[in-house]
Amino acid sequence: MTALTVAQALTRFLAAQYTERDGVRRRLIAATWGIFGHGNVAGIGQALVEYADAMPYHQGRNEQAMVHAAVGYARQSNRLSAHAVTTSIGPGATNLVTGAALATINRLPVLLLPGDTFATRPADPVLQQLEVPYAGDVSVNDCLRPVSTYFDRITRPEALIPAALAAVEVLTDPVRTGAVTLALPQDVQVEAYDWPEEFFAERVWRVRRQQPDEGELAEAVRAVGAAERPLIVAGGGVKYSGAETALGVFAAATGIPVAVTQAGKGALPHGHPADVGALGHTGTATANGLARSADLVLGIGTRYSDFTTASATLFANPDVRFVNLNVTSFDAHKLAARPLVGDAREGLELLHAELDGHTVAPAYAEAYREERARWEQRVTAAYTAADEEARPTQAQVLGALDTLVDDSDILINAAGSLPGDLHKLWRARSSDQYHVEYGYSCMGYEIPAAIGVAIAAPGRPVWALVGDGTYLMNPTEIVTAVQQALPIKVVILQNHGYASIGGLSESVGGERYGTDYRFRARDGGFTGAPLPVDLAANAASLGMRVLTPRTVRDLREALADARSATVPTCVYVETETADTVSGPPPAQAWWDVPVAETSTRPSAVKAREEYDRHVTARRRHL
């Protein structure tokens, strides 16, 4: 038996947990992020000092941002290694909720260790305690229950043993993983207990590769083999399984075109013969055209969000049927599909073997490749600036970056108009180059996630692409990048407002109200003058080296400078708007955002007419 505090025991336990897949072993909890207060400084804080050699520590500036950094690390690690995040009680704990929701929605592992109010209640209430008259056992940490895949409150030292084992089991389960919360009352954290030595032994958690059921496999083979216009939809599950090679081999052998979701982009490298690009509202004309006529859709590792299905209007063939290869039964049954429950790599290899030389008709393959070539011409046009001395558009910023990067670069984005442009336009060179968080599309994710990615992939160029609105949400982790000497590259695109939501507002009758960063007039309108906000100066004040290119030519030089920099570097660029110059191709499919059914404003009336026209195409797949 070993006498340790609860916090010390938990830290030592976590340092001894490992994952293993395909014979490769990794540390499960590779580090702990923390901001300390009275709810965790004497417990987890002291334990991290006690075991500093065994558990690395990262200092954050904002609790939500620490979760984003941990999620970035987990995604870059293909969910096989993760970080823990510890906070105080009160606002430190509630600040975790957004990050926890992002992790769980994207099915990425992160361990949350918020402090909690006293279990023994020596003084009630204590500082920052939420009093709930009808329930004495409720604290603000209960906000984390609906966004956690596992939640427990450790009110006795001995309860830590089953709770810690259950938490790690969920973190390493490819079906159930997400945010896992162990709420730790501050008095229990420092309480000593005699722990069995076995609790601290090295433990390896094998990340299973579930084999598909033979009957489901046989049905899937028959369905794919009978299809005349099949289409593969590749989601994030392809990448988390490490199934990219299997997908490439399967697609090349069968000739079935592959469209990708936001999470799946990069599952096939740009230029693969079967690659037809992005699918859905932010997709390519090629992929969406194939989706509309497909008679069989093979979904692999996708959860079919509304952006992917164009709000249930995209798969228009009346005879279309679905086969879903997914590690979760919940997702495999979506759209009334024939389920193929199992690991993506294992399922693809079995499908390939069972189809035994089956290919699509040559005319079908030739047609979609010609369409893809035409789309690439549109991408090149959007990327290309007619005048190198002009201010760049957002698409031209991506074009400048496209000419610079290789397969070692990693691009991170989450919100605004950039996810749409990136999904449609970006030419992913490697399976992990494209890192767009679009499950929660959380503004403020990019900079902290870049830090997590840089920790997981040292030596690789890591780019955080942010608009001005997103930057203002969460710039504080720049200080962390500076403190840890992580040479992330932050590209700030300044267009003085919320470009994406502004465009959406205009399309649904909102008239861009409240979406610009401009001075307000007394009548509630805008004067048109942009606010005197200097985001470049702000980034510099937080310790970044800042470059401020003015033209397309300057931009190319600044991006090259940033890429080779060994310190955190920001490229701040004022972008030209799509109102005055050509931008990327518009949306190729609809997205359902309900419009006011009655209004005195002509813009809203017109928008409702357009909405009613689109909504008639929506269907249930039964």
Side-chain angles (χ1 to χ4, degrees):
M1 306 293 281
T2 302
L4 297 171
T5 69
V6 167
Q8 291 164 356
L10 177 59
T11 303
R12 186 173 163 188
F13 167 83
L14 292 174
Q17 307 304 303
Y18 293 85
T19 65
E20 183 182 290
R21 190 176 73 177
D22 302 332
V24 178
R25 194 165 104 159
R26 299 169 178 83
R27 176 83 171 262
L28 172 60
I29 303 298
T32 296
W33 290 86
I35 295 175
F36 298 117
H38 70 95
N40 66 339
V41 66
I44 294 291
Q46 189 282 327
L48 289 171
V49 173
E50 189 93 13
Y51 295 104
D53 292 340
M55 179 59 70
Y57 165 73
H58 299 303
Q59 182 179 6
R61 270 74 198 174
N62 174 281
E63 292 86 359
Q64 180 189 136
M66 291 194 300
V67 185
H68 293 337
V71 167
Y73 175 89
R75 176 166 170 169
Q76 186 61 32
S77 302
N78 261 359
R79 307 194 301 188
L80 300 171
S81 185
H83 282 167
V85 177
T86 181
T87 72
S88 182
I89 66 174
T94 52
N95 281 349
L96 294 174
V97 174
T98 296
L102 181 148
T104 295
I105 288 171
N106 286 283
R107 300 172 189 181
L108 291 163
V110 60
L111 177 60
L112 307 180
L113 304 174
D116 212 327
T117 53
F118 284 80
T120 54
R121 306 182 192 176
D124 198 26
V126 297
L127 177 65
Q128 298 180 321
Q129 179 176 337
L130 172 71
E131 292 185 89
V132 181
Y134 62 84
D137 63 343
V138 170
S139 80
V140 296
N141 284 330
D142 288 275
C143 295
L144 288 161
R145 287 183 184 270
V147 291
S148 297
T149 54
Y150 178 82
F151 179 99
D152 204 349
R153 180 176 283 113
I154 313 303
T155 57
R156 290 292 306 146
E158 56 268 36
L160 177 65
I161 295 175
L165 290 168
V168 172
E169 187 272 323
V170 174
L171 286 169
T172 57
D173 186 335
V175 175
R176 298 163 59 210
T177 195
V180 168
T181 300
L182 295 180
L184 302 168
Q186 58 179 311
D187 52 345
V188 176
Q189 286 182 49
V190 301
E191 189 173 345
Y193 183 74
D194 287 330
W195 305 90
E197 195 61 36
E198 294 84 357
F199 185 54
F200 307 116
E202 284 192 3
R203 193 180 302 262
V204 178
W205 301 79
R206 287 182 173 81
V207 179
R208 68 183 65 87
R209 287 194 179 278
Q210 183 177 352
Q211 294 287 322
D213 174 79
E214 290 183 4
E216 290 184 351
L217 177 63
E219 285 193 9
V221 169
R222 283 194 294 270
V224 175
E228 295 182 359
R229 297 186 59 83
L231 173 69
I232 292 171
V233 176
V238 173
K239 296 160 80 169
Y240 297 143
S241 170
E244 297 95 334
T245 298
L247 175 62
V249 170
F250 179 80
T254 62
I256 301 175
V258 178
V260 293
T261 69
Q262 284 280 13
K265 192 173 174 81
L268 284 187
H270 176 76
H272 187 286
D275 171 37
V276 294
L279 184 74
H281 179 63
T282 53
T284 68
T286 309
N288 287 344
L290 290 167
R292 291 184 179 99
S293 63
D295 58 358
L296 187 285
V297 177
L298 174 58
I300 307 174
T302 177
R303 62 192 186 96
Y304 288 109
S305 75
D306 63 339
F307 258 60
T308 298
T309 67
S311 299
T313 64
L314 187 55
F315 303 110
N317 187 328
D319 297 321
V320 67
R321 293 295 179 264
F322 298 82
V323 172
N324 291 336
L325 169 57
N326 204 294
V327 73
T328 73
S329 176
F330 176 74
D331 289 320
H333 281 85
K334 287 179 177 176
L335 303 180
R338 291 181 175 88
L340 184 59
V341 180
D343 176 79
R345 192 189 74 180
E346 299 300 300
L348 277 166
E349 290 177 349
L350 288 169
L351 280 172
H352 185 194
E354 292 294 323
L355 283 166
D356 192 26
H358 171 79
T359 62
V360 300
Y364 181 52
E366 183 180 356
Y368 74 66
R369 287 168 186 160
E370 289 177 354
E371 284 294 325
R372 176 66 184 187
R374 281 190 282 272
W375 179 262
E376 283 300 309
Q377 293 173 358
R378 299 180 71 180
V379 173
T380 300
Y383 274 177
T384 304
D387 182 0
E388 289 281 307
E389 302 306 318
R391 189 164 65 178
T393 65
Q394 181 166 281
Q396 288 163 4
V397 173
L398 299 182
L401 197 56
D402 176 76
T403 64
L404 179 68
V405 303
D406 60 31
D407 59 6
S408 67
D409 293 73
I410 303 169
L411 273 64
I412 300 167
N413 184 243
S417 56
L418 270 167
D421 288 357
L422 284 163
H423 198 209
K424 282 185 284 192
L425 305 178
W426 188 255
R427 295 159 171 164
R429 291 155 173 78
S430 63
S431 64
D432 65 350
Q433 181 174 86
Y434 187 88
H435 182 132
V436 172
E437 185 285 299
Y438 215 56
Y440 209 41
S441 189
C442 185
M443 296 177 73
Y445 171 81
E446 294 90 344
I447 294 172
I451 291 171
V453 170
I455 293 170
R460 295 179 62 178
V462 178
W463 302 84
L465 308 181
V466 298
D468 50 306
T470 292
Y471 177 84
L472 287 169
M473 284 279 182
N474 208 354
T476 53
E477 282 335 283
I478 285 174
V479 178
T480 301
V482 172
Q483 182 181 36
Q484 297 196 194
L486 295 169
I488 63 171
K489 300 88 173 61
V490 176
V491 180
I492 303 175
L493 294 94
Q494 172 66 277
N495 52 32
H496 302 285
Y498 301 120
S500 174
I501 205 68
L504 178 62
S505 171
E506 186 173 44
S507 71
V508 298
E511 302 178 36
R512 293 185 178 262
Y513 186 75
T515 65
D516 287 334
Y517 293 159
R518 292 182 289 163
F519 283 104
R520 280 192 180 276
R522 290 188 177 181
D523 63 1
F526 294 98
T527 66
L531 298 175
V533 176
D534 191 339
L535 300 186
N538 178 262
S541 75
L542 295 176
M544 288 203 101
R545 175 173 172 256
V546 178
L547 308 173
T548 55
R550 303 297 181 189
T551 67
V552 173
R553 191 184 307 280
D554 296 340
L555 173 65
R556 296 186 194 284
E557 296 173 0
L559 292 173
D561 188 338
R563 188 174 187 272
S564 62
T566 57
V567 297
T569 301
C570 171
V571 178
Y572 172 88
V573 55
E574 294 260 357
T575 58
E576 192 60 87
T577 66
D579 295 331
T580 56
V581 294
S582 176
Q588 304 297 305
W590 185 60
W591 183 43
D592 188 351
V593 177
V595 177
E597 198 165 3
T598 181
S599 175
T600 60
R601 309 282 295 187
S603 60
V605 172
K606 181 179 179 181
R608 181 66 195 198
E609 292 172 354
E610 185 72 5
Y611 178 83
D612 289 338
R613 183 178 69 83
H614 280 291
V615 81
T616 58
R618 188 164 52 203
R619 61 180 292 197
R620 299 281 187 187
H621 295 282
L622 300 171

